[in-house]
Amino acid sequence: IQIISAYRAPKFNLILRKKGREVARNSQHSLGAAIDFRLPGVAAKRLHAWVKKQRLGGVGWYPHSKFIHMDTGPVRYWSGR
């Protein structure tokens, strides 16, 4: 597994937002409840479908960057860059 991002301090999250990155104002990362990751050898599209099927929380798909966001918040889905 390749972990792109896990816990982010609120201050660091704010810095990323100010730099124009795609990060939520009240990110689940800042609560220690999210992870962005890839599985080498598994297409991001396929991984996204599997994670969504679990219905465990929020799932974001970033096809350009080829990673999946997964969190323990409310069930919801989105796509980013």
Side-chain angles (χ1 to χ4, degrees):
I1 202 169
Q2 290 179 339
I3 298 172
I4 311 304
S5 182
Y7 174 76
R8 280 197 303 253
K11 210 172 205 178
F12 183 61
N13 199 66
L14 181 59
I15 289 168
L16 292 175
R17 281 183 59 79
K18 286 183 177 181
K19 287 185 174 186
R21 300 287 179 93
E22 282 186 274
V23 296
R25 183 180 313 266
N26 297 312
S27 174
Q28 293 288 317
H29 287 280
S30 296
L31 301 173
I35 188 168
D36 297 339
F37 66 101
R38 294 182 188 108
L39 282 178
V42 178
K45 186 175 184 176
R46 183 173 169 213
L47 182 59
H48 177 250
W50 183 85
V51 173
K52 275 180 67 174
K53 192 174 179 181
Q54 305 313 302
R55 297 192 48 81
L56 296 172
V59 180
W61 179 26
Y62 295 83
H64 179 74
S65 303
K66 298 180 181 165
F67 74 82
I68 303 301
H69 166 98
M70 184 175 186
D71 68 49
T72 60
V75 174
R76 65 212 184 286
Y77 311 109
W78 67 92
S79 289
R81 288 184 251 155

